[in-house]
């Protein structure tokens, strides 16, 4: 219609009611975006490079630096956005908001802060590093990263498990491959009628001939137990750089080599059955038996 304003008065009234909200949202986004951009593009990469240059052999600290700096940047960006939107005074003067924040942190934040502190302890532990193989009551695998709340572990099946940091700090952790070499022991059950000394000698030779087994310390073999049905002999040997070597494959290759060598030398590995039975069993046909006498 001629003479009607655009936008219409009713629409202009609705938009004016949201002017302040849109303005506050705009300034919040601007304040948050600037701090977040600066942190992600400049602050976190710079801090990561500094940590990497000072801890070249400890990737755990590098990944933890990224995680914790990212949390700090997000928190600071959120606070900056709130202040830019004009709510800084409300946050500082409103007793209700302060009480609500305190309540939330007290109830919901206990586990989060516990995981955060546990993660800091794991990062500070010189024997706990990214790339280490660990075993704990809930499983085993290779540490990939120590995050804000959980530690990511890659299992032997190449599954990624997120383990709460508190679980790792409150339970015993075994690091079997935490050094530059690892000792492996393998048992073999030899029949009693075999020459035990020859079996020990061949077992030791198999370990010496294996390319993945170290020459020093030298492999050895010994009698471990005189059982009811077999003599238990054990080979002990060392492998180098266990974190980069597939230990189960080394075990499997050694067992295959032992079985092949024992077959060649005619050494009998004890049978798996607990008892060996010999003799005859006679079964009589009941239909041919004479009937019992009357009376």
């Amino acid at each position: 219609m001629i003479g009607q304003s655009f936008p219409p008065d009713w629409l202009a009234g609705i938009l004016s009611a949201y002017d302040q909200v849109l303005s506050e949202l705009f300034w919040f986004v601007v304040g948050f975006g600037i701090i977040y951009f600066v942190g992600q593009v400049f602050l976190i990469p710079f801090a990561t490079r500094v940590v990497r240059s000072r801890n070249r052999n400890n990737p755990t600290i590098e990944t933890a630096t990224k995680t914790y700096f990212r949390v700090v940047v997000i928190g600071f960006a959120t606070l900056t956005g709130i202040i830019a939107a004009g709510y800084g005074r409300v946050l500082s003067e409103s007793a209700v908001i302060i009480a609500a924040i305190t309540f939330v942190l007290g109830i919901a934040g206990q586990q989060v802060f516990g995981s955060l502190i546990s993660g800091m302890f794991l990062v500070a532990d010189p024997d706990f590093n990214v790339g280490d193989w660990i075993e704990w009551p809930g499983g085993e695998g290779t540490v990939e990263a120590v995050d804000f709340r959980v530690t990511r572990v890659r299992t032997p099946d190449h599954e990624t498990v997120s383990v709460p940091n508190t679980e790792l700090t409150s339970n015993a952790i075994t690091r079997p491959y935490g050094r530059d070499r690892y000792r492996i022991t393998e048992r073999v059950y030899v029949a009693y009628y075999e020459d035990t000394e020859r079996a020990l000698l061949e077992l030791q030779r198999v370990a010496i001939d294996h390319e993945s087994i170290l020459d020093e310390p030298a492999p050895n073999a010994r009698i471990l137990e005189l059982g009811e049905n077999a003599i238990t002999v054990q080979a002990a040997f060392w492998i180098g750089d266990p974190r980069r070597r597939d230990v189960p494959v080394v075990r499997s290759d050694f067992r295959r080599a032992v079985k092949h060598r024992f077959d060649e030398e005619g050494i009998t590995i004890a049978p798996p059955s607990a008892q060996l039975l010999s003799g005859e069993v006679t079964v009589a046909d009941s239909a041919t038996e004479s009937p019992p006498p009357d009376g």
Side-chain angles (χ1 to χ4, degrees), residues 13 16 30 93 111 113 122 156 171 179 211 230 233 283:
S16 63
V30 170
E93 296 180 357
Q111 185 175 1
F113 284 122
L122 292 175
N171 291 296
R179 297 294 182 266
E211 60 179 6
V233 295
V283 179

Side-chain angles (χ1 to χ4, degrees), residues 262-280:
F262 277 30
D263 288 344
E264 287 183 342
E265 298 296 329
I267 301 175
T268 304
I269 298 178
S273 60
Q275 298 290 337
L276 294 177
L277 301 179
S278 61
E280 296 180 355

